[in-house]
Amino acid sequence: MKGLRHKTKGDKVIWAAVFLLVVISLLVVYSATGSLAYKMYKGNTEVYLFKQTAFIAVGLCVIYFAHRVNYTIYAKVAKVLFLFSIPLLIYTLFFGVTLNEGSRWIRLPIVNMTMQTSDLAKLALFMFLARMLSRRQNHIKDFKKGFLPVIIPVAVTCLLIAPANLSTALLLGVSCMLLLFIGRVNGKHLLLVIGAALIPVSALILAAVIKHKSVDEDAVVKKEKSSKLTARVDTWISRVEGFVYGTKDDDLQSTYHVNQMKIAIANGGFLGMGPGNSTQRNFTPHPYSDSIYSTIIEEYGLVGGALIIFIYLVFLYRSIRLYKRCPYAFGAFLALGLSFTLVLQALTNMMVNVNLFPITGVTLPLVSMGGSSFLFTCLSIGIILSVARNVEQLEGKKERQENAAAQKANEEQEVDVEDAEEALVV
């Protein structure tokens, strides 16, 4: 155990945040899946608890081994990984496993587990983007030499993710814009991209308003005959409509979802109903993944909900601090980009649960029930800790050199004093 602790380096506050979140995950996932496991596995309520424990164990191993790798290795594989992720996204879009009218997953042949390819694409994009930003700082203000080479990968990745998972594409785009802004990209160029992105978003909101004012009786028939992409657009419009107009349409699935989360939060109050005492877990869709934050508030109250927010904000603060301490641009951009996307995802999930954002399919990082997304989150955190570990080593080396130089200077000063004393005696 001592040897493992000695080999575990990096930011200790980030390590503590990770352990707190996975402990909370075990408690809440066990509570949220108890009834489901009882129905699915004939009375065995611990099935999902054991699965989550296994995912956490594997995830912590991923973090450990990823943080032991020198982060400069990730710069070398960034381009290959990004070029691999693009055809993988295209394949997923047309031939992936279809769920909820969207193709987001592929099935891995050996382990027979589905993987959301957008998770791999996000990680590859941030590696590639950090690499490009660090290498083009001298030309970053130039439109052709600096801006286009970094914005094209972002646009391609987001456009390929958007048809099946619009919320992930939007969050990825926002995270990348923040990173590009910090990477000294020209503000006018960024405003141009934001203006272009607002066009389809405005069209989506307008479509929701029009749909609400003119209800089509044949909407269900049209939806059955529509393509996958058209069906996804209908889903987006319905979710925006439910968010804007509330509970007017009781048949709207997103409205039901929001109402159940509101009831859970109202039940929780300030201190909550206590661990395992949630009642809305039996009614709220996906109380162990998308809606897990409302389950946390129901059982642990506003105090528990505030604690979760505090942990993620501390994680972000330590990552920003790491960005300032890192002497090399690639490591600084990589750590900050990955932390941005994780914290933005967490904040979006929590905003959805408290009805400050339309319904999305994003999970709460490190807290929602495990899957491929959980493991990729662990890999991202491992990479951030790899940057922190190398920064600590560089700072330790610099401190040792400064101490050695100070000690040598003191020794030389003592010799000079002794020589002076001998001269006085003579």
Side-chain angles (χ1 to χ4, degrees):
M1 193 71 180
K2 272 187 178 181
L4 182 63
R5 191 164 59 245
H6 179 71
K7 291 181 179 179
T8 302
K9 303 292 183 181
D11 193 304
K12 291 181 175 57
V13 177
I14 293 180
W15 276 110
V18 169
F19 281 113
L20 278 174
L21 289 174
V22 297
V23 168
I24 293 170
S25 174
L26 276 178
L27 294 173
V28 182
V29 167
Y30 179 49
S31 173
T33 58
S35 301
L36 178 63
Y38 185 85
K39 294 177 183 178
M40 298 290 292
Y41 296 95
K42 299 179 181 179
N44 188 354
T45 59
E46 287 84 18
V47 172
Y48 292 109
L49 173 64
F50 293 146
K51 286 185 178 180
Q52 183 68 0
T53 303
F55 269 110
I56 288 174
V58 174
L60 290 176
C61 290
V62 169
I63 294 175
Y64 175 77
F65 287 111
H67 107 288
R68 295 290 299 174
V69 176
N70 192 310
Y71 72 87
T72 56
I73 301 296
Y74 299 117
K76 297 177 182 178
V77 303
K79 187 175 182 179
V80 175
L81 195 62
F82 174 73
L83 293 176
F84 172 74
S85 67
I86 297 302
L88 196 62
L89 285 174
I90 296 172
Y91 174 84
T92 307
L93 192 59
F94 292 100
F95 307 106
V97 177
T98 301
L99 184 63
N100 295 331
E101 299 168 347
S103 297
R104 304 181 189 179
W105 299 265
I106 59 171
R107 189 171 297 280
L108 302 177
I110 299 176
V111 295
N112 196 29
M113 186 177 78
T114 56
M115 183 189 81
Q116 197 163 329
T117 51
S118 59
D119 293 324
L120 174 63
K122 286 192 297 183
L123 182 60
L125 177 62
F126 280 112
M127 285 184 186
F128 186 67
L129 202 57
R131 182 174 182 262
M132 295 291 289
L133 283 173
S134 63
R135 294 188 173 191
R136 295 182 178 270
Q137 282 299 299
N138 294 332
H139 310 286
I140 200 64
K141 298 292 184 181
D142 186 79
F143 184 79
K144 290 183 178 180
K145 295 182 179 179
F147 179 66
L148 285 181
V150 296
I151 199 62
I152 289 175
V154 175
V156 170
T157 305
C158 291
L159 287 173
L160 289 175
I161 294 175
N165 198 345
L166 180 63
S167 55
T168 298
L170 291 175
L171 287 176
L172 180 60
V174 172
S175 302
C176 290
M177 289 299 103
L178 288 173
L179 186 59
L180 293 180
F181 175 75
I182 293 172
R184 298 176 54 249
V185 171
N186 194 315
K188 293 180 180 179
H189 300 158
L190 293 179
L191 287 175
L192 182 66
V193 175
I194 294 171
L198 285 176
I199 295 173
V201 173
S202 302
L204 187 62
I205 296 173
L206 182 61
V209 173
I210 294 173
K211 180 185 176 184
H212 185 78
K213 290 182 178 180
S214 57
V215 179
D216 190 352
E217 296 178 354
D218 298 326
V220 177
V221 178
K222 288 183 179 179
K223 189 173 181 180
E224 290 176 354
K225 295 180 179 180
S226 63
S227 64
K228 289 182 180 180
L229 180 58
T230 307
R232 290 303 300 168
V233 172
D234 290 340
T235 301
W236 302 337
I237 294 173
S238 297
R239 288 178 175 179
V240 174
E241 181 188 3
F243 175 73
V244 173
Y245 293 101
T247 59
K248 185 174 181 180
D249 186 356
D250 293 332
D251 295 327
L252 207 59
Q253 184 180 358
S254 59
T255 302
Y256 171 81
H257 197 158
V258 169
N259 287 341
Q260 300 309 312
M261 291 189 292
K262 285 181 179 178
I263 294 170
I265 293 170
N267 289 341
F270 188 71
L271 295 176
M273 301 176 67
N277 292 328
S278 169
T279 56
Q280 285 305 114
R281 63 190 174 190
N282 300 319
F283 306 100
T284 306
H286 311 294
Y288 45 83
S289 57
D290 300 357
S291 310
I292 197 167
Y293 188 64
S294 63
T295 307
I296 291 172
I297 294 179
E298 185 178 14
E299 294 190 352
Y300 300 94
L302 293 177
V303 174
L307 176 63
I308 296 293
I309 297 174
F310 176 74
I311 293 172
Y312 283 114
L313 292 180
V314 168
F315 176 84
L316 180 61
Y317 167 75
R318 299 298 293 188
S319 298
I320 294 173
R321 188 169 177 267
L322 177 61
Y323 164 80
K324 293 180 178 180
R325 291 166 56 199
C326 187
Y328 302 111
F330 172 75
F333 289 139
L334 181 61
L336 197 61
L338 292 175
S339 63
F340 273 155
T341 188
L342 291 177
V343 175
L344 277 176
Q345 179 180 333
L347 292 176
T348 302
N349 177 277
M350 292 184 279
M351 288 169 67
V352 168
N353 278 253
V354 298
N355 198 28
L356 292 177
F357 199 81
I359 291 290
T360 65
V362 297
T363 56
L364 194 59
L366 288 181
V367 178
S368 295
M369 191 164 70
S372 62
S373 178
F374 184 91
L375 297 180
F376 276 107
T377 298
C378 290
L379 180 55
S380 299
I381 293 172
I383 294 172
I384 294 171
L385 287 170
S386 171
V387 177
R389 183 178 71 89
N390 281 272
V391 168
E392 284 185 356
Q393 289 177 346
L394 290 172
E395 290 178 344
K397 184 179 179 181
K398 184 179 179 180
E399 186 178 352
R400 287 192 298 270
Q401 289 175 347
E402 290 175 351
N403 291 337
Q407 185 177 358
K408 186 177 180 181
N410 290 334
E411 291 174 353
E412 290 176 352
Q413 187 176 4
E414 290 175 0
V415 171
D416 292 340
V417 171
E418 290 176 358
D419 291 343
E421 289 176 351
E422 289 179 2
L424 288 172
V425 171
V426 172

